[in-house]
């Protein structure tokens, strides 16, 4: 089931955007890193579609690997 509009989905969307901006990446560059399209990343960031669990796991790994950059933002 979709969690579109739920607080969890909004938090995940915010995490995704925060990481992307901390890495100074465009949505296109970030999409390439995730193996997704620019539109998919945009939809995820704007909460239009739910972020799949596998992508959330990847997001967690990228957050850990870039903790310093995230702290500085």
């Amino acid at each position: 089931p979709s969690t579109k509009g739920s607080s969890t989905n909004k938090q995940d969307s915010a995490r995704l955007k925060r990481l992307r901006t901390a890495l100074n990446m465009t949505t296109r560059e970030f999409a390439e890193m995730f193996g997704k399209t620019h539109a998919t990343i945009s939809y995820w960031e704007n909460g239009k579609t739910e972020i799949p669990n596998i992508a959330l796991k990847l997001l967690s790994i990228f957050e850990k690997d870039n903790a310093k950059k995230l702290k500085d933002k």
Side-chain angles (χ1 to χ4, degrees):
S2 175
T3 58
K4 184 178 174 186
S6 75
S7 61
T8 301
N9 194 45
K10 288 178 185 175
Q11 291 171 353
D12 292 338
S13 295
R15 286 174 53 211
L16 187 76
K17 188 169 187 175
R18 182 171 176 243
L19 176 62
R20 180 182 62 76
T21 57
L23 296 174
N24 295 314
M25 297 178 89
T26 66
T27 51
R28 290 188 191 282
E29 293 166 333
F30 200 73
E32 190 173 306
M33 182 174 76
F34 261 82
K36 297 293 179 186
T37 65
H38 156 73
T40 297
I41 298 300
S42 180
Y43 287 160
W44 288 353
E45 284 188 359
N46 292 300
K48 291 183 179 178
T49 57
E50 184 177 359
I51 303 171
N53 285 334
I54 189 73
L56 290 174
K57 288 178 184 177
L58 257 175
L59 177 61
S60 293
I61 292 168
F62 285 127
E63 285 173 327
K64 287 177 186 170
D65 289 348
N66 293 282
K68 183 172 178 4
K69 289 180 184 177
L70 288 169
K71 186 190 264 187
D72 294 342
K73 286 287 175 178

